[in-house]
Every structure is written in structure tokens, then in C-alpha cells.
Amino acid sequence: MLVMKIIAALLYLGGAIVLTYYAVRAYQLNGYFPPKADKTAKVAMLSFFAGSVAVASLSFWTPLASMIASAVLEIATVVIGTVGIVRLRTRLKFTPRATRLFGVAVLVLGGIGAGIVALSESAHVTLTTLPMVLSMHAVLMRGIAAVVNPLETRHNRKQAMPRYAALYRDDLIRIGITGSFGKTGCKEMLAAMLAARYRVVKTEGNLNTPIGIAKAAESVSETTQIFIAEMGAKRKGEIAELTEIVRPRYAIVTGVAPQHLDSFGTAEAVYRTKKELPDRLPPDGFCVYNGDNDGTLRMYRERVGEGICAGERLLSENTVRAKDVEATSEGLRFTLLAPGRESEVFLPLLGRHNVVNFVLAATLAMHLGVTAEEIVTVAKTMRPVPHRLEIVRREPFTVIDDSYNANVEGVRSALDALKLFDGRKIVLSQGIVELGREQVSRNEQVGRAIAEVADVAMLIGKNSHAIARGLRQGGMRESSIVFCRNLKEAEGMFGQLLQAGDVLLLQNDLP
């Protein structure tokens, strides 16, 4: 009997470790919040039902049969519990936070198992109870995360506070940039423009969380004059938290789009979250809004008098805007208009959306004293943000890397840029992720848009069939649609598909 209890306990512990690994992996990708894709309530209900049936049936079996049935139940639970998440696009990164969550979860689950083994009066009770506990893993992980997350938040704030202190000099100009798209590109442009007159520190890459701000704050010295913080969010309240940390006087809102709907729930929730930045500026604060985006234009109108709109389509003489935009495969040429100023600009970047990003950045830079002449000079030196419409190869075929996190606006812009190139056009895409209920319909739209531009579409990931439906609706032939199991298989097919003169667009949140 003791041997059976030990075997059952070891199987339980092994299953708990495997399930916890994949659960923490999913939590890490979702900002350490429970991913909606885990369907916890449904899993819990089915697991409880299966466990109840198992308990009832095992009571009539011999100890050996019970042992075999218990092992089968535990192994089946692990397989069923991981099948939905094993294809997550990255491996678990054992960061300090992930390691703590993993360790706490294994200790709690192991403690439950040990308690059952110790308190069970017979091996039969152990054999029937452990599979039920293991089948409730998703529910238990939610409870563990609900306890651990507030402690982690408190710990991170305590660790970061000394680094944040460098930001609170009275003479330091602090700027926040948020939006559903264009944050990083706009931030890089603004930093380059302001560097013509100021000593600038900015958050690096796409590090737009409290930890990213804390890392950037370490570079702030007594000689730093401007600090620029990119601010990202997947949930309501996160921009407010970042604003509380940075305490910006100036801001840019690049645009609002339906993104991260898995966590936000609705487009209105996205809007309200982005609005947390201008809402929390001081009375003498100044915000630049994208006047070409319906969401930010609405935001500006709700807060008129506390900022300015900028963009390409605006007609008011009191706004900064661009006109006569000419997009080529080498870059963008346009006229930058501001009250009393008119300047010709060449921007060596792909994607017409970069015109609006540039105008937004130029508006705030000029407000802070940078001249139009300095901005035009800086524009010529700008380079694309890595993995955002970045040309990584030109011969014998062209490769455009736009593989960073995708959104609806980014897809349109990337396809518009692809139109500018001669030669056969091939798009590799996994569509748009984190759109909740709109994921299927939005990816069908992506397929129709790709069909208008591309000659061949290579598809990977769970959105492939929705994109393919859109491709067919858009008139693409079945022979031009290529399904790939993963990115590695797609890369292996490049040698067969690509010819001299072709243009390959790597699009949408690729692994």
C-alpha cells in the first residue's frame, strides 16, 4: 500500500511540475495575469466531473487496477492541461518573478499532495484524490497568482523606488508617450529631435513597463535635461500607474485601436486606458494628439485647450501637419507645415504611418524649442526601429522585417509599403493576436488586404484558416496560399519559393 501511495504521489508531483511550467509560461506572456485562453471554469467543471466519476468507479476496483487507472487519469490530465498552450511562441524565461511564481506554485501543489498522502487512511483514497486535485490545476494556479501578484507588485515598487527618485528633479522635463501603435517609433524620433538641443534619456526598445522605466531611470544624471518614457498597457489602470511613476508634464498619444482585447475586453476600455495619460497631466501640462485617428481626435475634443492636434489630414491653420506626401521604396518625402513655418522633409523610412509619427514628435519638439531646420536635418539620419518595416536584405531578393507585435494599423501600413516595390511579392504572416472575439473577423480582413497586394501568402499559427478565408474572398488562388506548421518550416521553404527580384514581407508578431 505504501509503495502505491508513493508512486501515486510521484506521478502527481511530476504532473504538477509539468502543468505549472506551461501555466507560468502562459502567465508570463500575459503580464503574469491569468490568460483567458485557459478556459479555467470549463476545465474545472469537466475535471471535477471526471474526477467524481473516477472516484466512484475506482472504489469497485482492485488496488492494482486502481493504481493503473489513477496513473492514466493523471497522465491524461497533464496532456489535456497542456495541449492548449504548448505552442506558445516562446519558452519560459526563468526571470526572478517567473522563478518565484513557479516555486510557490510547486510548493503549494506539492504541499497539498503531501497532505493528502499523509492524511489518507488507505492507498485507495490517495489514488482517487490526487488525480482530482491535479485536474483542478488551472483553478489552483489562478488562486496562487491572485495571492502572489500583489506581493510581487509591492516588491517591485520597493525595489524600483530608489531608481525612480532620479526622475523627480524640478528642472527635469518629463515626457510620456502612449498609444495602441507607433509608440516606439515616435519616441525614437522625438529623442533624436530633442537631442539637437538637450541631453536626453529615454526608455530603451519597447521596455514600456515600470521595470523598463526603472532601468532607464538609472541613466538619468544631474546633467540630464529630458526624460522620455514609452508607456504600454494591457489592462485598465496600467497607464495611470506609469504616469504616477514618471509624473510627466508633456505627452503624446499616438492613436487608439482595438488591441489586446483579450485583456481589455472592449475598444472603449482601450480608449479609457490610453486617456489616463493626458487626464493625469498637471494643469500646465501639454499633450500632442494624433488628429488623424478617431480615438485620439475624440480625446483631444474632450480636453480641448490642454494640447494640440497634429497629423496629415488636418486642415486647421493652427495645427502641425504634413502635406504632399510621396512614399517610395527608399523613404518618405513631404512638406511639414506649422503655424508660420513650411519645411521640406526626407525621412529614410518605409511606411506612411511614419509621417504621422514624425509630425507628432516634431510638434512637441518645436514646442520645446527645437527649430524646424534642426528637425529637417535630424530627419535625414533616422533609421527604422528593429523589426518594424526594416529592410534587412536587398539582394538577390528584398526582405522587409515587420515581425514585431502587429495591430490593424500596422498591417495596413506594411502592405502599403510593400506596394512600392517592384517584383513578385510574398507575405509571411500569422495574423493579429490578442483580439478576443474579434480575432477571426479581423484576420479575415487581414487576408483580404494581403490578397490585394501579394502574389503568395505563407501562413503560420492558429489564425491561418481565418486569414486563408480572407485571401480566397480577396481572389487569391489556392495554389498561392502556403500553410506552414511553424516559423522554422517556413524558413526552410524560402529557398524553394524565393527568386531573384522577389520581395518578402515578414509580418505580424512572428516568434
Side-chain angles (χ1 to χ4, degrees):
M1 291 295 184
L2 179 61
V3 173
M4 287 187 178
K5 291 175 75 172
I6 292 173
I7 293 173
L10 291 175
L11 279 171
Y12 166 83
L13 183 60
I17 290 173
V18 172
L19 286 171
T20 301
Y21 173 88
Y22 285 112
V24 174
R25 181 183 176 193
Y27 274 62
Q28 188 177 62
L29 288 174
N30 200 46
Y32 292 98
F33 285 86
K36 289 192 175 184
D38 67 3
K39 300 177 181 176
T40 303
K42 185 176 180 180
V43 171
M45 182 176 66
L46 293 175
S47 298
F48 183 78
F49 175 76
S52 300
V53 171
V55 170
S57 60
L58 291 180
S59 62
F60 299 103
W61 294 1
T62 64
L64 180 59
S66 296
M67 179 73 250
I68 295 172
S70 181
V72 170
L73 279 171
E74 294 192 26
I75 292 170
T77 298
V78 173
V79 172
I80 293 169
T82 59
V83 71
I85 54 178
V86 292
R87 294 185 180 181
L88 291 173
R89 62 184 181 275
T90 61
R91 295 179 180 178
L92 173 62
K93 298 176 183 177
F94 278 98
T95 62
R97 181 168 184 175
T99 302
R100 288 191 292 269
L101 179 59
F102 182 86
V104 169
V106 170
L107 284 174
V108 170
L109 293 165
I112 293 173
I116 290 171
V117 172
L119 297 175
S120 298
E121 296 180 358
S122 66
H124 181 74
V125 175
T126 303
L127 295 174
T128 55
T129 306
L130 288 180
M132 284 189 67
V133 175
L134 195 62
S135 69
M136 301 293 287
H137 183 274
V139 178
L140 293 171
M141 274 301 302
R142 280 189 174 245
I144 292 167
V147 173
V148 171
N149 279 343
L151 297 176
E152 286 287 350
T153 299
R154 188 179 305 172
H155 170 77
N156 290 339
R157 284 184 176 179
K158 185 176 180 180
Q159 293 292 107
M161 280 308 296
R163 289 181 280 181
Y164 294 149
L167 302 178
Y168 304 142
R169 285 196 346 252
D170 290 339
D171 61 337
L172 180 66
I173 297 172
R174 296 181 294 274
I175 301 169
I177 299 177
T178 193
S180 300
F181 50 85
K183 295 184 295 293
T184 304
C186 188
K187 176 196 66 183
E188 297 297 330
M189 291 179 183
L190 178 63
M193 293 173 187
L194 292 174
R197 292 211 165 202
Y198 299 94
R199 288 180 288 277
V200 181
V201 170
K202 58 182 172 60
T203 52
E204 291 302 320
N206 64 326
L207 298 178
N208 51 29
T209 64
I211 297 299
I213 291 172
K215 287 183 178 180
E218 291 178 342
S219 300
V220 175
S221 67
E222 293 182 357
T223 62
T224 303
Q225 296 170 292
I226 293 181
F227 179 77
I228 307 173
E230 179 181 334
M231 299 180 176
K234 288 189 175 182
R235 286 166 193 82
K236 187 177 180 180
E238 289 185 343
I239 296 298
E241 178 187 359
L242 296 174
T243 305
E244 181 182 341
I245 291 170
V246 178
R247 303 176 191 173
R249 181 181 174 187
Y250 302 94
I252 295 175
V253 186
T254 60
V256 179
Q259 192 179 20
H260 301 310
L261 293 183
D262 266 356
S263 51
F264 278 117
T266 65
E268 180 65 20
V270 177
Y271 171 82
R272 293 294 174 190
T273 301
K274 302 307 178 185
K275 192 170 179 283
E276 290 169 359
L277 174 56
D279 278 350
R280 284 162 176 76
L281 294 179
D284 61 346
F286 180 83
C287 185
V288 181
Y289 303 87
N290 177 1
D292 293 349
N293 176 263
D294 291 339
T296 43
L297 187 58
R298 170 188 166 192
M299 206 177 289
Y300 167 72
R301 287 169 176 164
E302 290 181 356
R303 299 181 55 81
V304 68
E306 299 180 15
I308 189 172
C309 268
E312 183 181 342
R313 299 196 300 265
L314 297 167
L315 300 176
S316 170
E317 294 183 359
N318 295 322
T319 60
V320 181
R321 61 197 190 280
K323 73 169 186 176
D324 300 333
V325 178
E326 179 188 359
T328 72
S329 60
E330 300 300 322
L332 300 155
R333 296 184 184 277
F334 57 94
T335 303
L336 180 66
L337 299 175
R341 302 184 181 115
E342 185 170 324
S343 307
E344 299 302 317
V345 178
F346 173 67
L347 194 59
L349 302 175
L350 293 178
R352 191 170 181 132
H353 68 282
N354 278 310
V355 174
V356 176
N357 287 342
F358 184 90
V359 172
L360 295 173
T363 302
L364 185 53
M366 286 189 284
H367 184 78
L368 292 172
V370 182
T371 66
E373 291 75 17
E374 290 169 329
I375 288 172
V376 170
T377 300
V378 169
K380 299 173 184 177
T381 67
M382 289 184 178
R383 296 294 177 265
V385 176
H387 310 299
R388 292 171 172 88
L389 286 178
E390 177 187 19
I391 297 180
V392 295
R393 180 171 181 167
R394 286 189 179 271
E395 294 293 340
F397 48 81
T398 301
V399 178
I400 305 172
D401 182 357
D402 194 43
S403 60
Y404 188 68
N405 189 31
N407 53 67
V408 176
E409 299 292 333
V411 169
R412 294 193 187 106
S413 184
L415 293 172
D416 284 343
L418 184 61
K419 291 178 185 177
L420 302 173
F421 289 80
D422 296 326
R424 195 173 61 134
K425 299 171 180 62
I426 301 170
V427 174
L428 170 62
S429 176
Q430 75 155 354
I432 306 175
V433 299
E434 299 180 347
L435 287 177
R437 295 177 180 177
E438 295 186 20
Q439 188 139 322
V440 172
S441 61
R442 291 281 181 175
N443 281 292
E444 287 176 352
Q445 291 177 17
V446 168
R448 290 193 292 271
I450 291 174
E452 293 178 4
V453 180
D455 299 293
V456 177
M458 302 177 69
L459 309 179
I460 62 174
K462 62 183 180 181
N463 294 318
S464 294
H465 293 293
I467 301 171
R469 281 195 296 273
L471 290 168
R472 297 182 190 108
Q473 292 166 9
M476 181 172 283
R477 295 175 299 176
E478 196 68 36
S479 60
S480 298
I481 304 173
V482 181
F483 291 93
C484 307
R485 287 174 295 181
N486 49 47
L487 182 59
K488 185 176 181 180
E489 182 179 72
E491 290 174 339
M493 298 179 68
F494 289 163
Q496 306 170 29
L497 280 174
L498 293 173
Q499 306 167 6
D502 287 351
V503 185
L504 170 65
L505 173 64
L506 307 176
Q507 190 182 67
N508 309 137
D509 202 20
L510 294 176

